[in-house]
Amino acid sequence: MGAIHWSTDTILLAILASVFLYSLLTNAIAKTVITLPIIFMVVGYLCARPIEALAEPDILDEGKRLLAEVTLVLVLFSDASHVRFKSLRQSFNIPLRMLVVGLPLTIGLGMSVAYLLNPESGLAMALLTAAVLTPTDAALGQTVVSSSDVPEPLRQTINVESGLNDGLVLPFVLFGAILASAGMEGAATDGLATSALLQVVLGPIVGIAFGWGFAKAMDLAQNRDLMAEAAGGVAFLAVAFSAFIGSEIVGGNGFIAAFVAGMVFGNTYKHEIHFIGEFMEGVGQLLTMFAFLVFGALLLPDGLKHMTWNAVVLAVLFLTVVRMLPIWLSLLGTGLALREKLFLGWFGPRGLASILFTLIMMDEFDFPGEQELLACVSMTVFLSIILHGISAAPLSKWIGRAT
C-alpha cells in the first residue's frame, strides 16, 4: 500500500476529522486526564512535517500571525467584558491581590531567574521572557474551574485571574520586546521611546472610546427594539476588531485597546452579554483548538530543535517557584489555608496567551536570543499542558476533600 499523499486538502480533512471526533467524545474525554490542549498539540505535532512541506515559511508565518492576532483580540475582549468593577471592589479581594501584588512579583522574580540563567541575553530579554510566561490559561485546567469538588471562591479566583492577567501583562511584553529590539546592533532607536509611550497611552484611550460608544449604541438599538438578539455575536466581533484596528491607525497598541474596550463595554452595556460567552464557546473554542494545533505543528518542533538544559530548568522554575512563591506572598493575611494558597499557586498554567504573545512579538520585532525564547516558551507550555492537564482532576478532588 502506498504512502499517503499529504496535500492541503488531505491535511485539512485530517484536522477537521480530529475536531469532529473531539466534539463527539467531549463528555467522555472530560472524565479522563486528557484535555483539549493535549489532543490538539499532539495532532499538530503529528502534522508538523506535512504542514511545513506544504507552503513557504513566509506564508506559514503570515498564517500564524493572523491566527494569533484574531484569537488574542477575541480572548482579550471576551475575558475583560465579564469583569464587573462593582464585584471586584466588593468580593474579589483574593484575585485582586493575585493581580495587583502577585503579577508584578511574578514578572520581577521571573526576570531575575531568566537573567541569572542566561545573563548574556541581557535584562531586556529576561523581562520579555518573564512577561510572556506570566499570564495564565484556565483552559489548560478546565476541570478545575468546572469541577463541583473545588470550592466556588477558588474557581472564581482562577477564572478572574486568568481572564485579566493576559491583558495586564501586555505593557510588560511590549516594553520587553521594544527594549530587546533596541539592543540589536544597528537597530534604529530614534523615536522608540515616544512610539512605546504612545502605544501604551493611546491604546486604552481608543479602547475606552470604542467600548463606551458601541455599548451605548447597542443599548439604544435594543431599547427601541431595532436589534435582533441573534445579532449580538456579530456586534461583538465588530466592537472587538474596531477597537483593535482603530488603535493601530492612530499609533496605539491594538491588543491593549481590545482589552480595555472589552472591560468598558461589559460595564457600560445595560443588557445581557450572554452572546459573547455563547460565541466564544463555539467559534472561540475552535480558534483555541487551532492555536494549540499551530503550537504543536510549528512552534514546538522548532523549540525542541533549540532546546537546552537552561530552557528546561527555566520552564520548571516558572511553573513552580516563580509562580507559586509570589502568589503565596500575595495571599498572606487573606485567611486562606496553606493548601488553598498552594492550589491557587499551582493552577497558573501557561498556554494560549504565552503562545500568542511569542508568535506576535517574534513576528513584529527582531531581538537577540529569539531561538532561546522560543525554546523556553515551548518547553514551559508543553510541560504545563501535560502537568496541569493530568493533575487537574485528582487535585480538584483533593482540595474538595480537604475543605
Side-chain angles (χ1 to χ4, degrees):
M1 195 165 92
I4 296 175
H5 176 61
W6 288 99
S7 65
T8 304
D9 291 341
T10 307
I11 293 175
L12 187 57
L13 188 62
I15 291 170
L16 291 175
S18 302
V19 172
F20 183 67
L21 188 60
Y22 172 82
S23 302
L24 288 182
L25 303 174
T26 307
N27 286 337
I29 291 170
K31 297 174 184 176
T32 70
V33 296
I34 300 173
T35 61
L36 180 152
I38 291 176
I39 292 170
F40 286 93
M41 177 184 69
V42 171
V43 170
Y45 191 75
L46 293 176
C47 294
R49 286 193 176 181
I51 288 174
E52 285 184 351
L54 279 180
E56 295 296 322
D58 288 348
I59 296 174
L60 290 177
D61 286 342
E62 287 178 12
K64 284 189 296 184
R65 173 67 184 262
L66 180 62
L67 175 66
E69 286 189 340
V70 169
T71 306
L72 190 55
V73 168
L74 293 180
V75 167
L76 288 170
F77 188 97
S78 172
D79 287 348
S81 70
H82 289 91
V83 175
R84 297 291 171 269
F85 296 143
K86 289 181 181 178
S87 299
L88 280 174
R89 289 197 302 268
Q90 293 168 3
S91 58
F92 285 5
N93 175 48
I94 293 173
L96 271 179
R97 278 172 168 258
M98 293 170 69
L99 290 166
V100 175
V101 180
L103 186 145
L105 286 177
T106 301
I107 293 175
L109 180 57
M111 180 178 171
S112 301
V113 169
Y115 182 72
L116 288 172
L117 284 174
N118 199 8
E120 59 273 13
S121 290
L123 285 171
M125 277 304 295
L127 171 60
L128 178 59
T129 303
V132 299
L133 290 176
T134 291
T136 59
D137 183 0
L140 267 66
Q142 187 59 40
T143 303
V144 173
V145 294
S146 61
S147 173
S148 57
D149 292 323
V150 180
E152 176 63 24
L154 296 184
R155 278 187 282 155
Q156 190 180 56
T157 294
I158 292 170
N159 256 330
V160 172
E161 189 215 4
S162 66
L164 285 177
N165 62 12
D166 44 6
L168 295 176
V169 84
L170 255 172
F172 296 98
V173 173
L174 184 63
F175 277 123
I178 289 172
L179 291 172
S181 177
M184 288 280 285
E185 188 176 343
T189 57
D190 293 343
L192 197 60
T194 303
S195 173
L197 188 61
L198 283 175
Q199 287 200 52
V200 175
V201 172
L202 292 177
I205 291 173
V206 172
I208 291 169
F210 276 80
W212 185 87
F214 274 77
K216 288 296 183 183
M218 287 176 66
D219 275 330
L220 183 63
Q222 287 208 308
N223 288 337
R224 298 188 178 183
D225 200 26
L226 299 173
M227 178 180 168
E229 188 175 348
V234 177
F236 154 56
L237 288 177
V239 182
F241 287 108
S242 293
F244 174 80
I245 294 170
S247 181
E248 293 287 320
I249 288 173
V250 299
N253 184 272
F255 300 110
I256 295 176
F259 179 72
V260 174
M263 196 173 294
V264 173
F265 180 89
N267 284 275
T268 305
Y269 189 56
K270 302 302 181 186
H271 295 79
E272 288 291 324
I273 60 167
H274 56 81
F275 53 84
I276 294 180
E278 290 170 0
F279 183 92
M280 292 303 290
E281 283 178 9
V283 177
Q285 188 178 54
L286 190 63
L287 287 171
T288 301
M289 290 176 181
F290 279 102
F292 282 106
L293 189 143
V294 166
F295 170 71
L298 302 177
L299 265 73
L300 185 58
D302 206 15
L304 291 175
K305 284 180 192 173
H306 301 91
M307 194 59 59
T308 63
W309 280 111
N310 269 6
V312 176
V313 171
L314 191 69
V316 172
L317 289 175
F318 262 92
L319 295 177
T320 53
V321 178
V322 172
R323 159 71 184 183
M324 298 176 76
L325 180 58
I327 293 302
W328 178 77
L329 289 172
S330 72
L331 297 177
L332 290 175
T334 58
L336 288 178
L338 177 61
R339 62 179 174 274
E340 293 172 315
K341 294 174 186 174
L342 294 175
F343 185 82
L344 290 174
W346 170 245
F347 280 106
R350 308 314 200 279
L352 197 58
S354 296
I355 295 169
L356 299 177
F357 286 152
T358 303
L359 279 172
I360 292 167
M361 291 304 114
M362 287 183 64
D363 185 67
E364 192 163 327
F365 297 96
D366 289 318
F367 40 75
E370 283 191 6
Q371 300 305 330
E372 288 84 354
L373 175 66
L374 181 60
C376 290
V377 172
S378 297
M379 181 53 64
T380 306
V381 174
F382 171 74
L383 289 177
S384 186
I385 288 172
I386 302 299
L387 296 177
H388 288 108
I390 64 177
S391 66
L395 287 181
S396 294
K397 289 183 170 56
W398 169 75
I399 198 69
R401 289 194 303 267
T403 53

